[in-house]
Amino acid sequence: MDLGISGKRALVTASSKGLGRGCAEALAQAGVSLTLNARSAGPLAETAAYLRGEYGVEVTDVAADITSDAGRAEVLAAAGHVDILVTNAGGPPPGIWSDWEREDFIKALDANMLTPIALMKACLPVMAKQGWGRVVNITSQSVKSPIPALGLSNAARTGLTGYVAGTSRQVAPDGVTINNLLPGIHATDRAVSLDTGVAEAQGITLEEAAVQRQAGIPARRYGTAAEFGAMCAFLCSQHAGFIVGQNILLDGGGVNATI
Ligand code: NAP
């Protein structure tokens, strides 16, 4: 399917690895020029070089912490004109309700709620003015079905979801869509780190922890970054202009709900 977005410019934050990288690659495949971002310069430069070589699109890479004001300013300046914004950042650490103090919540809110909101505030005016834009926020299945050990994530991402629900309706008349993609468990470094937590807590191996978590997913496997990226690119396509303010789960059936 021709997504109809060849020649557009996208900013994909937190995109040297994992789901962000999957989104960047699917957009590159559709002919979209990219600005990529991550904190570590090495893996970011490798990803940028790979995407340039493989798909022949322009790729700018900016090593910066997207959750800081200075990092966001640097990334936005390098990105310039943005038609497509995909927001992402690392997820908060696991724990239990009694662990978390005010500063832990502030950190989580900064990374997983206020950073995507700041990026949208920066990019939406230009999108609205030109009468076309696409925003996809990478959130989590925890928005629909809480993960008790990820209380910081549950809280921050739900706040972002509420903001998007209203804002997406405000910018839709200008041809701009905002939607959220909710990953269930995907085979990325983040999944390995959560598997490691389960393995340590239960005294089992990493492989046993992964098998145990996969048993809870009807598809009996983790998702891939490529599958996730394909959905992201579709939401950014010309075909998705009537999809507004939605929360789309990619979880292999993991969330047991009728709708
Ligand atoms: P990942 O494989 O660990 O990749 C994270 C990417 O984000 C890396 O490129 C990392 O590079 C970059 N990054 C992290 N913090 C950053 C920051 N402050 N500024 C700029 N770049 C940053 O993680 P993932 O699995 O793709 O997860 C992406 C998001 O989806 C996370 O918020 C995660 O919590 C959420 N999620 C993931 C899953 C899953 O199963 N994978 C499920 C639900 C939700 P650097 O480290 O070099 O900065």
Side-chain angles (χ1 to χ4, degrees):
M1 183 191 290
D2 178 2
L3 297 184
I5 49 177
S6 180
K8 301 243 182 241
R9 297 167 58 95
L11 167 58
V12 186
T13 65
S15 50
S16 64
K17 299 183 196 166
L19 303 179
R21 178 182 167 140
C23 295
E25 179 156 9
L27 289 169
Q29 207 165 11
V32 174
S33 298
L34 296 166
T35 299
L36 304 184
N37 150 258
R39 291 163 303 180
S40 315
L44 178 64
E46 277 172 34
T47 297
Y50 167 76
L51 295 178
R52 263 183 226 114
E54 193 71 14
Y55 301 104
V57 294
E58 205 179 290
V59 183
T60 304
D61 53 303
V62 187
D65 183 343
I66 200 64
T67 68
S68 72
D69 289 343
R72 272 193 305 281
E74 203 185 328
V75 170
L76 285 163
H81 183 100
V82 174
D83 302 298
I84 294 168
L85 169 66
V86 180
T87 77
N88 186 33
I96 184 164
W97 62 270
S98 51
D99 294 342
W100 303 314
E101 303 297 341
R102 181 181 157 77
E103 60 266 29
D104 301 308
F105 281 101
I106 297 295
K107 234 175 158 178
L109 291 170
D110 263 340
N112 301 116
M113 177 183 170
L114 299 175
T115 288
I117 289 175
L119 289 165
M120 283 187 269
K121 275 193 82 176
C123 296
L124 287 174
V126 168
M127 293 180 184
K129 197 168 174 210
Q130 71 181 8
W132 196 95
R134 297 283 185 265
V135 179
V136 173
N137 300 296
I138 299 179
T139 68
S140 172
Q141 66 178 355
S142 70
V143 168
K144 293 228 181 203
S145 173
I147 301 169
L150 292 177
L152 293 171
S153 170
N154 299 338
R157 298 187 198 278
T158 306
L160 174 63
T161 305
Y163 174 85
V164 165
T167 305
S168 59
R169 270 96 185 167
Q170 289 180 319
V171 298
D174 298 310
V176 179
T177 70
I178 313 178
N179 293 286
N180 301 322
L181 274 186
L182 285 53
I185 306 175
H186 283 70
T188 68
D189 288 359
R190 169 81 171 167
V192 173
S193 122
L194 293 176
D195 285 351
T196 304
V198 170
E200 282 168 5
Q202 298 187 15
I204 56 178
T205 66
L206 194 58
E207 291 70 31
E208 286 166 339
V211 166
Q212 185 179 303
R213 291 215 298 156
Q214 283 165 11
I217 303 172
R220 299 286 185 265
R221 65 175 177 87
Y222 292 169
T224 69
E227 289 170 313
F228 192 86
M231 176 54 102
C232 176
F234 180 77
L235 284 178
C236 296
S237 76
Q238 298 294 358
H239 310 294
F242 207 51
I243 304 176
V244 170
Q246 297 304 297
N247 291 281
I248 297 167
L249 260 178
L250 289 97
D251 69 341
V255 171
N256 191 34
T258 305
I259 55 171

